[in-house]
Amino acid sequence: MQIIDGKSLAQEIQESVAQEVKNLKDNYDIVPGLAVILVGDDPASQAYVKMKAKACEKVGFYSITHNMPDTISQEEIIGTIEMINKNPRIDGILVQLPLPKHIDTNAILEVIDPAKDVDGFHPYNVGRLVTNLDGFVPCTPLGVMKMFEKYNIDLEGKDVCVVGASNIVGKPMAALLLNANATVTVTHIYTKDLASHTKKADIVIVGVGVPHLIKADMVKDGAVLIDIGINRIEDGSLVGDADFEALKQKCSYITPVPGGVGPMTIAMLLSNTLKAAKARISK
Ligand code: NAD
């Protein structure tokens, strides 16, 4: 069994981003800029935004956070995004999800300029992903693909079971896997017999938000297990969606929580923002 070390891979990627930022600044006087919109005072969202801002600072990005109260109107958020779309110092825009219930998330995401959509949630980029064209790919599934690449885990012809089918995790994950010629099964809350699907898979990727949903008897010997879930349990610790302790002897590769997919998500945000900034060179 090998543990996939997302923390050190993310560190490696951040160092290479920092080097490229230096080159951009020295050769083109470009400093990549990221704007984050945070609505409300959800502690988890605040913590994520803080981590993202810190990572931006570390690699030499310019970053700003727009903090908005949860009573803000949809029109005001849209107005702010339209303003940032026009700001030449900003290459990437990220709206921290989830948004308060009175806000239509899809309407907000559609206002982001697709060229600044570093989270890859705009329907334009979703369409490009599904048709296997270059664009911005959502950070979490992109981070998982980087892990496969780093650990030489071949996807062609493999049976992969994706557990969870959200727009930000499961669906883009499935599209990336299809583009890599895997045979993909997507499961979700309405799936009748989850274990019958996970047991057949060479690779199981879970992102649902249910602690320890995937148990040892639900995967075959030697399977690869990627755990995207992040759950804070009663004792205050963070756990994934898979029973790591029981699964680690059975799997050929497994990601821990924390220290697995989480750090890769932030590294991919930096890498997507750098990609958006590089587009300024040809302008
Ligand atoms: P979501 O609530 O939008 O979607 C959850 C998905 O899981 C849905 O498709 C639902 O049908 C499915 N599901 C729920 N319960 C299930 C069950 N018992 N069996 C099978 N499927 C089930 O959540 P999300 O935003 O996609 O996030 C999922 C998890 O991934 C959360 O724990 C979240 O914290 C984590 N996450 C981690 C990162 C990271 O960087 N590692 C990034 C995003 C989300």
Side-chain angles (χ1 to χ4, degrees):
M1 178 273 308
Q2 196 173 350
I3 292 180
I4 298 180
D5 186 350
K7 204 173 162 190
S8 74
L9 177 54
Q11 178 68 26
E12 218 176 89
I13 292 166
Q14 292 199 20
E15 281 163 19
S16 104
V17 170
Q19 185 56 49
E20 285 205 59
V21 171
K22 192 177 173 313
N23 295 346
L24 269 184
K25 171 93 183 101
D26 292 349
N27 299 324
Y28 301 98
D29 201 25
I30 292 173
V31 177
L34 177 74
V36 178
I37 293 180
L38 174 62
V39 184
D41 48 16
D42 172 58
S45 292
Q46 282 176 333
Y48 289 136
V49 167
K50 229 183 191 167
M51 281 196 288
K52 288 167 187 172
K54 212 170 133 194
C56 283
E57 195 187 317
K58 246 181 152 174
V59 296
F61 285 2
Y62 163 65
S63 87
I64 45 169
T65 302
H66 294 264
N67 288 292
M68 299 176 168
D70 59 9
T71 49
I72 197 145
S73 71
Q74 185 156 313
E75 289 66 37
E76 281 173 283
I77 303 176
I78 288 175
T80 304
I81 295 173
E82 283 171 342
M83 187 185 74
I84 311 172
N85 278 343
K86 291 192 206 120
N87 183 343
R89 287 188 71 190
I90 298 297
D91 302 286
I93 303 173
L94 180 156
V95 177
Q96 184 64 40
L97 301 180
L99 291 169
K101 288 196 171 39
H102 67 280
I103 308 286
D104 177 352
T105 301
N106 287 330
I108 296 293
L109 296 177
E110 277 200 71
V111 180
I112 298 173
D113 177 351
K116 297 190 177 190
D117 174 36
V118 289
D119 250 345
F121 296 158
H122 190 288
Y124 174 84
N125 283 312
V126 176
R128 292 190 72 87
L129 169 61
V130 172
T131 44
N132 203 5
L133 294 170
D134 184 44
F136 289 108
V137 175
C139 301
T140 301
L142 184 60
V144 173
M145 295 303 279
K146 291 281 170 205
M147 287 173 148
F148 290 140
E149 202 181 298
K150 175 75 181 178
Y151 285 80
N152 292 316
I153 298 169
D154 190 26
L155 296 169
E156 200 165 277
K158 293 283 165 60
D159 290 322
V160 186
C161 181
V162 177
V163 186
S166 69
N167 288 344
I168 66 172
V169 176
K171 285 185 201 164
M173 189 74 251
L176 284 165
L177 292 162
L178 275 176
N179 291 344
N181 299 330
T183 301
V184 187
T185 304
V186 183
T187 59
H188 42 75
I189 190 81
Y190 298 106
T191 299
K192 272 181 277 171
D193 180 3
L194 181 62
S196 71
H197 298 282
T198 55
K199 268 185 199 162
K200 281 191 284 195
D202 303 307
I203 301 172
V204 176
I205 304 177
V206 58
V208 300
V210 179
H212 298 166
L213 176 72
I214 306 298
K215 311 223 178 332
D217 62 0
M218 292 171 73
V219 303
K220 68 179 182 189
D221 281 335
V224 175
L225 196 291
I226 306 290
D227 191 348
I228 295 174
I230 304 177
N231 309 289
R232 196 169 289 283
I233 56 171
E234 274 168 20
D235 68 4
S237 59
L238 286 182
V239 299
D241 290 342
D243 186 351
F244 180 82
E245 284 309 317
L247 278 155
K248 70 177 180 193
Q249 297 312 329
K250 205 173 177 186
C251 293
S252 54
Y253 293 89
I254 187 166
T255 60
V257 179
V261 178
M264 290 301 293
T265 298
I266 294 188
M268 291 303 102
L269 172 67
L270 299 175
S271 153
N272 279 351
T273 305
L274 177 70
K275 174 177 167 167
K278 280 180 174 170
R280 275 200 240 171
I281 298 173
S282 50
K283 269 186 193 158

